[in-house]
Amino acid sequence: MMKNDILNTKKLGYKFYFQDGDNQIACFGSYFTGKEEVFINDDLFSKERNINCTSTHSFDFESSQYQVKFDMLNILTGRMECTLYKDTKVVAKQIQCSLPDDPKKAFFFIAGCALGGAVFGYAIATIIELFVGKL
């Protein structure tokens, strides 16, 4: 964990932590906004918004060229791979998934979201219809 753990304030996103010697590289990617950030020892080194399935952040640190590559492996399950490169060599690779690994739990999560969306949509449509009808 980082000393101040900047990424703890970020919710609903991917968090990857890598160690390179005495340096910690922390990478964050938001599910909803596409905002990606890369920190080294609490200092922001790269930041951009991305709506593609892959992105690469390149930066120099302590006489080395670093790259962090985000790669969405499966958009339906939210399976994301993050790879850290130092001078073109892979330092480490991690994979995270936004849905539970258990297919039954994943199904209920998706079904719950769909049902919640349907109820919310119906409620909004009903409210709009009531207000439009009174005008």
Side-chain angles (χ1 to χ4, degrees):
M1 285 293 236
M2 297 172 73
K3 292 175 205 147
N4 297 328
D5 201 357
I6 294 166
L7 303 183
N8 254 353
T9 61
K10 314 258 188 221
K11 307 267 191 255
L12 302 173
Y14 297 95
K15 299 173 189 173
F16 299 96
Y17 296 93
F18 300 102
Q19 198 68 36
D20 181 39
D22 292 335
N23 301 308
Q24 184 178 56
I25 294 105
C27 310
F28 171 77
S30 172
Y31 297 150
F32 300 107
T33 66
K35 185 177 181 181
E36 298 173 347
E37 298 172 315
V38 179
F39 295 86
I40 299 181
N41 303 326
D42 292 338
D43 295 321
L44 181 63
F45 270 76
S46 182
K47 174 174 134 179
E48 65 182 59
R49 290 207 188 270
N50 178 37
I51 57 170
N52 298 321
C53 289
T54 62
S55 67
T56 303
H57 297 256
S58 300
F59 50 91
D60 294 322
F61 179 72
E62 294 182 348
S63 304
S64 292
Q65 173 66 36
Y66 285 85
Q67 282 190 327
V68 171
K69 182 179 178 189
F70 290 99
D71 189 15
M72 181 61 71
L73 301 175
N74 187 326
I75 200 161
L76 294 176
T77 62
R79 191 171 168 82
M80 172 75 79
E81 179 179 77
C82 184
T83 308
L84 173 67
Y85 298 87
K86 180 179 180 181
D87 298 324
T88 69
K89 293 183 180 150
V90 174
V91 173
K93 184 183 292 193
Q94 296 177 14
I95 295 176
Q96 291 182 11
C97 188
S98 59
L99 289 180
D101 288 334
D102 180 1
K104 200 182 237 184
K105 287 181 183 176
F107 171 78
F108 283 116
F109 176 79
I110 291 170
C113 289
L115 180 61
V119 168
F120 180 75
Y122 180 78
I124 293 297
T126 303
I127 290 168
I128 290 172
E129 187 175 310
L130 286 173
F131 282 114
V132 171
K134 292 187 178 197
L135 293 177

